[in-house]
Amino acid sequence: MNPHQLESALASWGQPVVLQSLSGGYRNRAWLIQSGSQLYVAKTTRRCESAMQWLNSVFDAAESVGFVVPRLIPSQVGSLVVNGLTVEPYIDDEPGTAANLLELIPLIFQFHKLTSHLPQRPTFASSIQLLEQDTGGDVDFSSMPSHLVVSCRQAWRTLAQKPQSVVHGDLNPSNILITPDKRPALIDWDESRVDLSCFDWLAIAKEGQAAPEERQALLAWEIAVCWHVEPDYAQKLAQEFIKYKDHP
């Protein structure tokens, strides 16, 4: 998004001032912006309006178990996405650590229980749904090697009876902030969807705390979801995946 496109899209939120670009996003660009005395973050997104509206119920559940979340700010016409741009509050708190992430496991489990009934995010698909369909979210099997598609599906099929719920989808220390009153803020819900609940746990678990088939299923997901948007990384993971599959 060039400066003119950014300015045009931001006009839908009352023409805030762009202060600086923000680092840290791998797939989306972000800027720190100001409107009046308030700071916000503007982000590019590939998600549609309905996929963003779906987050409202997810954020309700996250807040009810104790998380602070960056609820999206509607534009002046009420939409959450304008020309591929969203706006959310700027959370300027202490960066989280791996230890903080481990402390959140009980809250994550509560969140999963509260969201086990929610419908799938519009345009997305879980790993289990992808046993029967070829696209969903960032996954598109049409250009992946057929043998790799088969292997990914085999890895997911072994967990088909496991519990499903909304998952954050990218739990790591960089997506955790600790507020001054010591509450955890959980940011970057771009990959959130209904899927195997264990995928969130596996992102936190230490080596040896998860079954090999669970690790393989999560690795298969990372390959599938990154194949188009981060191809070099996905191919590197695929080599690891195939090597482990042949020599567990």
Side-chain angles (χ1 to χ4, degrees):
M1 180 175 287
N2 62 43
H4 175 73
Q5 292 170 325
L6 176 61
E7 181 181 351
S8 177
L10 284 176
S12 296
W13 282 272
Q15 211 72 311
V17 177
V18 178
L19 300 180
Q20 64 184 68
S21 60
L22 297 174
S23 60
Y26 293 102
R27 302 180 184 180
N28 303 311
R29 296 183 63 190
W31 297 266
L32 180 65
I33 63 176
Q34 183 172 5
S35 180
S37 61
Q38 298 298 311
L39 296 177
Y40 301 92
V41 175
K43 288 182 179 179
T44 59
T45 182
R46 293 158 289 135
R47 312 306 179 199
C48 64
E49 178 71 21
S50 59
M52 290 308 203
Q53 292 286 353
W54 174 87
L55 286 171
N56 288 325
S57 295
V58 173
F59 287 165
D60 287 343
E63 288 176 340
S64 73
V65 303
F67 286 112
V68 174
V69 293
R71 284 187 177 268
L72 298 175
I73 308 297
S75 68
Q76 292 177 334
V77 296
S79 58
L80 300 179
V81 183
V82 175
N83 296 337
L85 196 75
T86 62
V87 172
E88 62 189 54
Y90 175 63
I91 302 177
D92 184 20
D93 293 318
E94 180 183 343
T97 64
N100 293 138
L101 201 56
L102 288 173
E103 292 170 356
L104 298 182
I105 289 176
L107 296 186
I108 294 295
F109 283 168
Q110 291 179 45
F111 170 74
H112 288 164
K113 288 181 180 179
L114 286 180
T115 59
S116 61
H117 68 287
L118 291 182
Q120 182 58 274
R121 189 176 189 178
T123 74
F124 277 66
S126 68
S127 54
I128 305 307
Q129 290 173 309
L130 288 166
L131 295 177
E132 305 296 336
Q133 64 189 69
D134 293 332
T135 62
D138 293 324
V139 178
D140 184 348
F141 283 147
S142 64
S143 63
M144 284 181 64
S146 58
H147 72 277
L148 191 55
V149 173
V150 169
S151 294
C152 286
R153 283 173 165 162
Q154 286 175 341
W156 299 332
R157 190 171 285 111
T158 63
L159 304 183
Q161 302 308 312
K162 293 277 190 178
Q164 297 185 53
S165 66
V166 173
V167 295
H168 175 273
D170 192 18
L171 288 179
N172 66 76
S174 66
N175 286 333
I176 294 292
L177 299 170
I178 306 301
T179 67
D181 58 357
K182 302 305 179 184
R183 291 188 299 161
L186 188 52
I187 62 174
D188 195 357
W189 293 76
D190 185 63
E191 297 181 48
S192 182
R193 63 194 183 279
V194 172
D195 212 325
L196 294 164
S197 302
C198 66
F199 279 176
D200 271 349
W201 153 248
L202 291 170
I204 301 173
K206 295 179 180 179
E207 192 68 33
Q209 288 185 315
E213 60 270 21
E214 293 177 328
R215 291 288 187 189
Q216 277 294 90
L218 181 59
L219 183 56
W221 178 263
E222 287 297 309
I223 293 166
V225 82
C226 293
W227 194 260
H228 294 282
V229 291
E230 298 179 67
D232 292 341
Y233 176 61
Q235 291 178 28
K236 180 180 178 180
L237 291 180
Q239 293 174 1
E240 177 184 345
F241 178 70
I242 294 169
K243 180 179 178 180
Y244 184 89
K245 181 176 178 291
D246 293 339
H247 302 284

